[in-house]
Amino acid sequence: KERVIVQLRSKLANAVQDEERYWINKDLYREYLEYDADSAGYYVEQNIGLAARMGRPEDVQRWRIERAAVLIQTGQLNEAWTVLDKIKKEVLTSKTWPYYYAQMMRLNHAYSIYMEEMGAAERSRYFNQALLYRDSVLLYVKPDWPEYLNIKAWESFDAHDYDGIKKQLKEKVDHSPLNTPED
């Protein structure tokens, strides 16, 4: 992982065009997300700026959604809520809605876990909201979406229908290089 990061950072140092920097930042973000959230956040901020400079409002919102993902991962749930609340939904398309719904699902699920640990009765409200967002994600995505099987597994688990999803997950694992966060 560190070798890949060094290579990407070297490419970034030599990148001249905003478009090239944008895609290298995206790769760096993906490498860092499960490894070093602070660094992942740095590349999110870089791409928010680049997307704005290149005149891509939907991409600006997409990277703000990724900002929320980093905040959720680092336990900054209130900050993530603020970021997601400020997303300009009018510029989201069928391509970006599932990412928004997925982060809202994660955020509500994280709150439900926190509430359970605190012994709060509000847990079920957040958990039920997470389920609604999960269903919204599934309305927008196809089986080739990176997190599709993970979300379907959660749905299958809730329905106590394990056999079908176990087969799909095993097939995915058996044919995967296991080099992405979703894997």
Side-chain angles (χ1 to χ4, degrees):
K1 181 170 275 301
E2 289 189 8
R3 184 173 25 91
V4 170
I5 288 170
V6 167
Q7 291 170 345
L8 287 169
R9 291 177 80 185
S10 176
K11 279 177 67 175
L12 183 61
N14 294 316
V16 179
Q17 302 289 325
D18 282 349
E19 185 74 27
E20 184 181 12
R21 278 193 287 277
Y22 180 86
W23 292 106
I24 296 169
N25 283 343
K26 181 179 181 183
D27 290 341
L28 281 161
Y29 165 74
R30 300 237 345 122
E31 288 297 324
Y32 273 120
L33 185 58
E34 301 292 330
Y35 180 64
D36 178 349
D38 290 336
S39 293
Y42 172 81
Y43 292 105
V44 164
E45 297 306 321
Q46 294 301 303
N47 270 6
I48 289 172
L50 286 169
R53 191 165 56 231
M54 292 186 296
R56 297 180 180 169
E58 183 179 14
D59 287 347
V60 169
Q61 298 312 305
R62 172 74 170 88
W63 284 101
R64 287 183 175 151
I65 293 167
E66 293 301 333
R67 177 192 287 157
V70 171
L71 293 168
I72 293 166
Q73 185 162 330
T74 58
Q76 298 174 72
L77 304 183
N78 291 337
E79 293 83 353
W81 198 279
T82 300
V83 168
L84 289 169
D85 192 47
K86 291 181 181 178
I87 295 295
K88 294 180 182 171
K89 294 167 190 71
E90 65 274 5
V91 301
L92 299 182
T93 65
S94 60
K95 184 175 95 175
T96 46
W97 273 111
Y99 292 99
Y100 172 78
Y101 288 139
Q103 293 315 318
M104 289 298 291
M105 175 191 73
R106 283 187 188 90
L107 180 59
N108 277 277
H109 190 252
Y111 268 117
S112 77
I113 292 168
Y114 176 74
M115 292 295 171
E116 182 176 43
E117 290 174 1
M118 299 299 291
E122 298 238 344
R123 179 200 184 273
S124 64
R125 180 174 70 105
Y126 288 107
F127 187 76
N128 289 333
Q129 277 300 119
L131 294 177
L132 290 173
Y133 283 115
R134 179 193 70 193
D135 293 345
S136 295
V137 172
L138 291 172
L139 287 174
Y140 279 91
V141 298
K142 306 250 185 299
D144 64 341
W145 198 63
E147 296 182 60
Y148 177 81
L149 275 181
N150 293 338
I151 295 171
K152 286 299 283 183
W154 184 16
E155 181 183 55
S156 296
F157 181 78
D158 285 349
H160 303 286
D161 178 22
Y162 310 110
D163 293 333
I165 198 67
K166 278 173 54 176
K167 182 181 177 196
Q168 291 178 52
L169 289 168
K170 177 152 179 30
E171 191 174 299
K172 169 85 172 169
V173 168
D174 289 348
H175 295 95
S176 172
L178 300 175
N179 62 2
T180 67
E182 296 80 24
D183 293 342

